[in-house]
């Protein structure tokens, strides 16, 4: 099958970079708005029998809500299926509704599973995303092929240059992220060629309130890297920064794949004890307004990783080998 790549308008900049990495031109398409708020999207070129990849990062911005972006993606996927595309892969750098992955209250929705059902219903054959909140829930929710990329090699490469001579401890801001932090710690340790410590922060959440102050890590006099999948309000990260500072850490940095940065994040992350905050470009940091946060923010490009994954899948290669090589 021949390869076709479409990048929907809301993710145009990200998609163009992926296309450049692949050495191809994105396919022509139409996204049309109607006066009552409805819209349609469709390819403007032949996709019959083709291996089609559609890029749409599902976060809200000033122009579109998460739901608007999701609907545009679904209608476009449906139109590809009706146009007899051979295989359809949704490339979702940031996957929405992935944080509610289990019932924590009676009659809670499990939106991770519902998202999978909706995507499957319109005829998607495969999903590619980066650093979902709960990998096990993501993998179990889908009946179709689902590929999961992670940013640990990007972060390890960055911090090995910035913190190469320091005694480093990798800290997860909660118990749920320990596995993610451990994989990053192993990658960083391999990159540096010497031992890297580990630890985690106690965290309990109920009705939007976070509690728990215990830090399980030896950080005194050491350089700390806090690792997480996303930053929303910044509350979880800021409490971990304070705990590490109070425990005597000599230097504190943080990394998260997705910078959501909802209202209040600027204030939460203004603490000068946090020297550097590293994210990827799956979500542009357009909500960051304060100079205090802008000056410590580093954005790493993830487009090359997605381009390589698309190439490997299209050519029948291995995504696992891509991540581990």
């Amino acid at each position: 099958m021949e390869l076709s790549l479409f990048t929907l308008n809301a993710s145009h900049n990200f998609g163009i970079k992926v296309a450049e990495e692949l050495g191809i031109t994105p396919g022509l398409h139409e996204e049309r708005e109607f006066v009552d708020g409805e819209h349609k999207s469709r390819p403007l070129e032949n996709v019959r029998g083709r291996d089609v990849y559609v890029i749409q990062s599902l976060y809200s911005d000033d122009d579109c809500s998460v739901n608007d972006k999701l609907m545009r993606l679904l209608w476009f996927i449906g139109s590809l299926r009706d146009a007899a595309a051979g295989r359809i892969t949704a490339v979702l750098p940031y996957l929405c509704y992935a944080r509610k992955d289990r019932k924590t209250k009676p009659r809670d929705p499990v939106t991770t599973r519902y998202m999978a059902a909706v995507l499957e219903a319109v005829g998607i054959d495969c999903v590619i995303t980066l650093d979902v909140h709960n990998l096990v829930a993501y993998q179990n929710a889908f009946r179709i092929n689902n590929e999961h990329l992670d940013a640990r090699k990007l972060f390890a490469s960055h911090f090995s240059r910035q913190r190469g001579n320091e005694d480093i401890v990798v800290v997860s801001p909660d118990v749920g992220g320990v596995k993610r932090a451990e994989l990053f710690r192993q990658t960083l340790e391999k990159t540096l060629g010497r031992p890297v410590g580990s630890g985690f922060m106690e965290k309990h959440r109920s009705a939007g309130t976070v509690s728990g102050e215990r830090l399980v890590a030896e950080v005194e006099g050491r350089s700390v890297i806090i690792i997480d999948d996303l930053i929303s309000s910044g509350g979880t990260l800021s409490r971990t920064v304070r705990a590490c500072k109070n425990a005597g850490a000599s230097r504190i940095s943080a990394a998260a794949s997705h910078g959501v940065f909802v209202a209040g994040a600027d204030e939460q992350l203004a603490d000068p004890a946090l020297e550097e905050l590293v994210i990827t470009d799956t979500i542009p940091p357009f909500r960051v307004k304060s100079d205090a946060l802008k000056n410590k923010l580093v954005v790493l490009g993830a487009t090359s990783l997605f381009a390589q994954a698309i190439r490997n899948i299209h050519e029948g290669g291995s995504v696992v080998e891509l991540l581990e090589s």
Side-chain angles (χ1 to χ4, degrees):
M1 291 187 289
E2 293 186 49
L3 172 67
S4 288
L5 177 73
F6 292 92
T7 176
L8 300 189
N9 293 345
S11 295
H12 177 77
N13 292 338
F14 191 94
I16 287 295
K17 292 177 182 177
V18 173
E20 289 174 351
E21 293 277 354
L22 290 169
I24 63 176
T25 301
L28 298 176
H29 79 287
E30 176 189 27
E31 293 180 54
R32 182 180 172 189
E33 306 296 321
F34 296 102
V35 293
D36 61 351
E38 294 182 5
H39 44 76
K40 76 171 186 178
S41 53
R42 64 180 177 124
L44 295 177
E45 59 187 51
N46 181 30
V47 296
R48 182 177 296 274
R50 285 178 167 262
D51 188 16
V52 183
Y53 297 80
V54 183
I55 298 177
Q56 178 82 308
S57 198
L58 298 172
Y59 60 90
S60 65
D61 56 30
D62 296 335
D63 298 319
C64 279
S65 70
V66 167
N67 297 329
D68 281 337
K69 290 184 179 181
L70 176 59
M71 295 306 293
R72 283 165 170 78
L73 172 70
L74 295 176
W75 297 164
F76 192 78
I77 296 293
S79 69
L80 289 171
R81 180 57 65 204
D82 289 344
R87 181 173 66 178
I88 304 171
T89 299
V91 182
L92 312 176
Y94 177 70
L95 177 62
C96 63
Y97 292 113
R99 282 181 274 181
K100 197 71 185 73
D101 51 45
R102 66 188 188 280
K103 293 185 178 184
T104 54
K105 299 290 184 182
R107 296 171 293 281
D108 262 356
V110 185
T111 55
T112 299
R113 179 160 53 84
Y114 307 157
M115 272 294 296
V118 168
L119 292 169
E120 290 168 356
V122 293
I124 289 175
D125 298 297
C126 177
V127 173
I128 307 173
T129 192
L130 177 78
D131 279 327
V132 294
H133 187 64
N134 184 327
L135 178 56
V136 173
Y138 165 76
Q139 291 173 333
N140 287 332
F142 285 92
R143 294 170 296 175
I144 59 173
N145 184 32
N146 54 87
E147 302 291 352
H148 182 260
L149 309 179
D150 63 62
R152 57 193 160 104
K153 287 175 62 179
L154 295 176
F155 294 146
S157 176
H158 172 81
F159 285 113
S160 66
R161 295 191 301 269
Q162 300 294 322
R163 306 285 188 268
N165 297 320
E166 300 175 9
D167 186 7
I168 299 174
V169 180
V170 172
V171 173
S172 171
D174 54 46
V175 175
V178 166
K179 181 63 175 179
R180 178 185 303 107
E182 175 59 15
L183 289 173
F184 168 67
R185 188 200 66 80
Q186 292 174 7
T187 302
L188 182 60
E189 189 172 80
K190 182 178 180 181
T191 304
L192 293 172
R194 55 184 172 79
V196 173
S198 64
F200 65 90
M201 185 78 186
E202 177 190 16
K203 177 183 174 183
H204 308 285
R205 183 189 295 275
S206 180
T209 301
V210 176
S211 61
E213 300 298 328
R214 185 180 180 189
L215 174 66
V216 183
E218 294 292 336
V219 302
E220 185 174 2
R222 306 173 79 182
S223 180
V224 171
I225 301 173
I226 304 167
I227 191 82
D228 209 350
D229 62 312
L230 63 86
I231 298 169
S232 184
S233 68
T236 296
L237 176 56
S238 65
R239 58 190 286 278
T240 308
V241 170
R242 288 195 301 272
C244 291
K245 178 183 177 182
N246 293 337
S250 63
R251 197 172 187 183
I252 304 171
S253 301
S257 296
H258 312 292
V260 182
F261 299 122
V262 298
D266 281 18
E267 293 75 20
Q268 288 275 17
L269 301 174
D271 188 343
L274 178 63
E275 293 186 20
E276 184 180 50
L277 178 55
V278 184
I279 61 173
T280 75
D281 57 353
T282 57
I283 302 176
F286 61 94
R287 293 192 183 97
V288 175
K289 305 300 182 185
S290 73
D291 289 337
L293 183 51
K294 286 180 180 178
N295 291 338
K296 67 178 72 175
L297 196 63
V298 176
V299 182
L300 303 181
T303 53
S304 178
L305 179 60
F306 277 92
Q308 291 175 56
I310 290 171
R311 182 180 292 111
N312 283 21
I313 293 170
H314 175 66
E315 296 176 354
S318 170
V319 175
V320 172
E321 291 178 3
L322 166 65
L323 297 174
E324 294 182 350
S325 61

